[in-house]
Amino acid sequence: MSIESKYYIHESDRAALESLKAIPGFTRLLKSFMKEWNERQARLRNMSSFIRISENQLPKYYAMLDPICEKLGIEKPELYLMQDVRPNAFTSGETNPFIVITSGLLEALPEELIPTVLAHECGHIACHHVLYRTMGTIIFGGAAGTLRTIPFGAMITLPLQVAFFYWMRCSEYSADRAAVICDGNADKISEVCMRLAGFSQTIGEELNKEAFMEQAREYRQITSDSKWDKTLEYYLLSGASHPFAAVRALEATEWAASEQYQSILDGTYLTKETIQETQNLEDDLFNIPGYQRYHQKHEAEIVCPSCGTANKAGALFCRQCGTKLEIPELKCPECGTLLEGDETFCPSCGHKLK
């Protein structure tokens, strides 16, 4: 069963994207980017310059995508290998997203961690990050002087640039959560962060993940206690598209230990948005003529057919597992005619109801 991204998207990711969209000029910049950027051209570059991984080319890596895509509920993206000594992976595109991994990544990470990286990249696809991240990488990825060479460089204000980088960093936390879901825990994504931070395959010593977590906690404490250190952090991150590796590892580890993650594994988690939507539906239904009277007169609990939990009369979804509940129909015991709930006699057969 696939898990929808709304159940695990990071709170900062959602909030930062909404803030980004609210900045004056963002919509105009997006339209200009879409006019200039050509997804097909990017695909042609991949086909001509990179190695396309498939059933016939490095098939073991291509096969790694199958369980990931099934778990996250997305179509299988194209996968490419790029010659670059730097360990990296990125996802780009819009209608047909693709993933690119570098040769440096395969050299830096043991093979058992590659699915975790692919799950992270597929998480960007599942969370609908790809268009905005592609836009951010192309527009803000180069040096400041590059902005003057693109057709819409004049539209890019400092607040927009800072907000875009901030959202891109927040989106990484959501993608890390997707990797946690696919792996079943945060061990592998934490190890990926450690190795990208400097612990390569050539270092013979055993990794100490708890020491890395302690390092991240100490960093968090320092930046929390000191306004000056918080300011220094701001300048360090102002042009960064990714959070610090240790912070990412700690975020993923803490989330994997949360009730939210456990409820996702159990299939019982409802997001705040889903709960609000459910409440709105219940409120709308409660105002339908006849239903309110029925709700008030019939206080019998509705038992969930999936988990057996008793729910209050009129509930649309089980409060324990989220299963949709059928609203009980009020019928005449004599002839079976559907009733609204306020009748004294059945309108079809005249049977006395009260």
Side-chain angles (χ1 to χ4, degrees):
M1 186 181 83
S2 62
I3 300 175
E4 295 185 32
S5 61
K6 65 181 179 181
Y7 293 147
Y8 59 82
I9 192 167
H10 197 280
E11 303 76 20
S12 297
D13 178 0
R14 184 182 294 108
L17 184 58
E18 290 303 315
S19 298
L20 176 63
K21 290 178 179 179
I23 293 178
F26 174 78
T27 302
R28 184 179 169 213
L29 179 62
L30 177 61
K31 290 179 179 178
S32 299
F33 173 78
M34 292 299 296
K35 183 179 178 181
E36 296 289 336
W37 182 68
N38 190 315
E39 182 179 15
R40 185 168 181 79
Q41 183 178 356
R43 186 169 185 269
L44 290 175
R45 179 203 60 189
N46 294 345
M47 296 286 287
S48 64
S49 304
F50 305 154
I51 295 175
R52 183 170 65 182
I53 298 175
S54 66
E55 297 94 337
N56 303 317
Q57 188 79 268
L58 300 172
K60 64 180 179 181
Y61 297 115
Y62 191 65
M64 292 175 180
L65 286 171
D66 291 322
I68 294 170
C69 294
E70 182 179 355
K71 191 76 171 180
L72 300 181
I74 62 173
E75 293 184 6
K76 196 172 181 178
E78 289 190 338
L79 181 61
Y80 293 91
L81 176 63
M82 182 176 91
Q83 178 65 37
D84 192 329
V85 296
R86 294 169 296 181
N88 193 21
F90 61 89
T91 305
S92 189
E94 181 197 3
T95 55
N96 296 298
F98 57 85
I99 297 172
V100 177
I101 58 177
T102 66
S103 55
L105 183 76
L106 300 185
E107 294 176 0
L109 302 183
E111 188 175 301
E112 62 267 20
L113 293 183
I114 302 303
T116 300
V117 176
L118 295 178
H120 172 95
E121 296 304 324
C122 285
H124 283 309
I125 298 174
C127 294
H128 308 288
H129 292 155
V130 183
L131 175 59
Y132 290 153
R133 286 193 63 86
T134 300
M135 177 178 166
T137 301
I138 292 176
I139 296 177
F140 302 113
T146 307
L147 299 178
R148 293 191 291 269
T149 66
I150 57 179
F152 39 86
M155 301 180 193
I156 302 171
T157 62
L158 181 59
L160 186 57
Q161 187 172 350
V162 170
F164 221 123
F165 276 123
Y166 177 66
W167 170 74
M168 290 180 74
R169 294 194 297 273
C170 292
S171 71
E172 293 295 321
Y173 295 136
S174 296
D176 284 343
R177 288 183 175 185
V180 171
I181 288 172
C182 291
D183 289 336
N185 55 57
D187 291 346
K188 289 187 175 180
I189 190 64
S190 297
E191 185 174 343
V192 168
C193 291
M194 285 187 70
R195 292 190 179 277
L196 294 180
F199 215 111
S200 70
Q201 292 193 70
T202 59
I203 299 177
E205 296 291 330
E206 184 178 349
L207 289 86
N208 187 332
K209 294 179 183 177
E210 183 51 42
F212 195 56
M213 294 299 105
E214 183 57 36
Q215 173 183 330
R217 294 188 193 99
E218 185 177 345
Y219 168 83
R220 178 190 285 174
Q221 189 66 44
I222 290 173
T223 54
S224 298
D225 292 344
S226 169
K227 291 183 179 180
W228 173 243
D229 287 328
K230 194 68 178 176
T231 302
L232 291 177
E233 180 190 45
Y234 170 79
Y235 282 108
L236 284 171
L237 287 170
S238 59
S241 60
H242 286 65
F244 295 134
V247 177
R248 283 179 58 185
L250 182 59
E251 279 277 341
T253 299
E254 290 180 339
W255 186 70
S258 68
E259 292 183 5
Q260 180 186 12
Y261 173 66
Q262 188 58 50
S263 62
I264 290 176
L265 295 184
D266 297 340
T268 60
Y269 177 66
L270 290 177
T271 62
K272 293 180 180 179
E273 290 76 19
T274 304
I275 293 173
Q276 185 60 52
E277 290 170 4
T278 301
Q279 185 61 54
N280 291 340
L281 285 171
E282 290 182 354
D283 290 343
D284 291 342
L285 187 58
F286 193 82
N287 291 324
I288 296 176
Y291 180 80
Q292 185 172 3
R293 293 188 294 272
Y294 174 83
H295 185 278
Q296 292 171 336
K297 291 183 180 181
H298 302 272
E299 295 298 329
E301 295 176 322
I302 305 174
V303 177
C304 174
S306 297
C307 68
T309 299
N311 297 272
K312 67 178 183 180
L316 294 181
F317 297 89
C318 176
R319 60 187 173 84
Q320 180 64 31
C321 70
T323 298
K324 186 175 182 181
L325 304 174
E326 295 295 332
I327 301 172
E329 295 177 332
L330 184 62
K331 297 182 180 180
C332 171
E334 187 69 23
C335 68
T337 297
L338 292 176
L339 306 171
E340 288 190 352
D342 61 339
E343 299 92 337
T344 302
F345 296 91
C346 174
S348 296
C349 68
H351 179 77
K352 187 173 182 179
L353 302 171
K354 300 178 181 179

